[in-house]
Amino acid sequence: MEETNKSIVSEFIFQGLCNSREFEMFLLLPFSTLYLVTVVGNLFVVLLIITDHRLHSPMYFLLANLSFVDFCLSSVTTPKLTTDFLKPNKTISFRGCMSQILCVHFFGGGEMVLLVTMAYDRYVAICKPLHYSSIMDRQKCIWLVSISWIIGFVHAMSQLAMILELPFCGPRVVDSFFCDIPLVIKLACMDTHTLSTLINADSGFLATTCFIVLLISYTYILLTVRLHSKDGASKALSTCTSHITVVVLFFGPCIFIYLWPLSITWVDKFLAVFYTVITPLLNPAIYTLRNKEIKSAIQRLIHQSAHEFRG
């Protein structure tokens, strides 16, 4: 009799970033602008690398994939967030919620492994420059990128499989702006403490493992080059600074959310905004502003466009 009184949840309600309708209306333009810049910036980097033959190298092939992943990751949550600023009732269907969970972990997990791949590329380029072209050939690059997508997909499916069959019968309010597993799993009408620990351990293990591997990789790069030349460390640091910056910005919030034992709502929301909205915007800016070849390619594109316009 108790089971018949329970209604299955067909949609969830987002609490949003804040409770003030006026402040949400104020945020509409900034977040819409951020998303537009993110889309244009990341797709511009992808198209620039594809069209400029001087950028057809392993490092830029990996960078193009990173920009594409950032575009996809931002598109999973930000459009819904911005349109919800206009709505008093922010709802999402059960299927839509599960799709968000799948895509966030697919692209997020894939990006973590892709950043490890980019660290490996820098290791080979800096520590084994004479063998770089033979080690990082086209087939190897495609293989490494494929592995990042496969691991991201397997991680996302494992997360979804653990939550998809849970009984959701109310309440249905998610205190965030998108369906994140730690918040959605709290709404299941059963004891999910063990399952929640398992899910967090799954995500935390992937994030922490990749982060530790990245730290070891870049530390080894700097130490190895320093042994061979006095100014080598500064050159290596200059080359890797953009990579290290992106790693810290992306992994910091993820590790904090999934491994920190205490949950503070406004902190979690800020970190969620950071890694789903801000980081995909910063990545193309960090790489293009610090990369001479990218800046030269942009200048060549501008000159070519100006020449064609005059002609």
Side-chain angles (χ1 to χ4, degrees):
M1 189 69 183
E2 183 181 356
E3 293 293 326
T4 59
N5 290 333
K6 292 182 178 179
S7 59
I8 298 175
V9 170
S10 60
E11 65 178 17
F12 294 97
I13 301 173
F14 290 143
Q15 195 75 27
L17 287 181
C18 61
N19 296 323
S20 171
R21 289 280 298 143
E22 292 76 12
F23 188 61
E24 285 188 332
M25 294 300 294
F26 172 77
L27 293 175
L28 176 62
L29 181 59
F31 274 84
S32 299
T33 304
L34 286 174
Y35 179 64
L36 178 62
V37 175
T38 300
V39 171
V40 172
N42 282 292
L43 292 184
F44 176 75
V45 171
V46 173
L47 293 175
L48 182 67
I49 292 173
I50 291 174
T51 56
D52 194 319
H53 69 278
R54 300 185 189 184
L55 299 179
H56 290 179
S57 66
M59 182 177 73
Y60 296 109
F61 174 72
L62 297 175
L63 177 58
N65 276 272
L66 178 66
S67 292
F68 180 72
V69 172
D70 279 329
F71 158 71
C72 295
L73 180 61
S74 179
S75 298
V76 174
T77 59
T78 312
K80 173 66 175 169
L81 169 63
T82 52
T83 55
D84 279 348
F85 285 144
L86 299 171
K87 302 175 182 177
N89 297 318
K90 306 169 179 57
T91 60
I92 186 171
S93 66
F94 179 83
R95 288 185 178 182
C97 183
M98 296 300 110
S99 298
Q100 272 196 340
I101 290 174
L102 177 67
C103 291
V104 166
H105 285 269
F106 175 42
F107 296 121
E111 180 161 341
M112 290 179 186
V113 182
L114 186 59
L115 288 171
V116 173
T117 301
M118 295 178 74
Y120 174 71
D121 172 74
R122 290 300 84 206
Y123 160 74
V124 176
I126 295 172
C127 299
K128 299 182 179 181
L130 298 178
H131 303 284
Y132 180 74
S133 58
S134 60
I135 296 176
M136 293 299 294
D137 56 19
R138 184 178 182 84
Q139 185 177 1
K140 182 76 165 291
C141 290
I142 295 174
W143 181 70
L144 289 172
V145 169
S146 299
I147 288 177
S148 69
W149 285 103
I150 291 171
I151 292 178
F153 179 74
V154 171
H155 167 68
M157 290 301 295
S158 68
Q159 294 278 291
L160 186 65
M162 288 188 280
I163 194 175
L164 190 59
E165 297 300 323
L166 288 177
F168 293 98
C169 47
R172 56 196 181 106
V173 178
V174 180
D175 194 5
S176 185
F177 60 91
F178 76 104
C179 285
D180 200 9
I181 287 186
L183 298 175
V184 174
I185 199 173
K186 293 179 180 178
L187 305 180
C189 44
M190 63 174 286
D191 183 14
T192 58
H193 177 73
T194 302
L195 184 61
S196 179
T197 302
L198 183 62
I199 289 175
N200 286 344
D202 183 6
S203 293
F205 175 77
L206 178 63
T208 305
T209 301
C210 290
F211 187 62
I212 291 174
V213 170
L214 286 164
L215 287 180
I216 295 173
S217 299
Y218 286 117
T219 301
Y220 184 78
I221 289 171
L222 297 177
L223 292 177
T224 302
V225 177
R226 187 176 182 181
L227 294 175
H228 291 83
S229 69
K230 294 181 180 180
D231 61 341
S234 61
K235 291 181 180 178
L237 182 60
S238 176
T239 304
C240 298
T241 296
S242 57
H243 291 245
I244 295 171
T245 303
V246 169
V247 165
V248 172
L249 291 176
F250 183 79
F251 279 89
C254 293
I255 293 175
F256 187 92
I257 288 175
Y258 285 98
L259 294 182
W260 191 252
L262 299 178
S263 179
I264 305 172
T265 301
W266 71 268
V267 174
D268 290 343
K269 288 184 180 181
F270 172 78
L271 294 175
V273 168
F274 199 85
Y275 80 81
T276 60
V277 180
I278 306 300
T279 301
L281 169 67
L282 292 178
N283 283 358
I286 291 170
Y287 281 109
T288 55
L289 291 177
R290 296 191 58 86
N291 191 293
K292 292 181 180 179
E293 291 187 29
I294 289 286
K295 288 189 285 188
S296 298
I298 294 174
Q299 291 175 354
R300 288 194 296 270
L301 180 63
I302 293 174
H303 292 158
Q304 182 180 352
S305 300
H307 179 72
E308 292 177 355
F309 178 77
R310 293 193 192 97

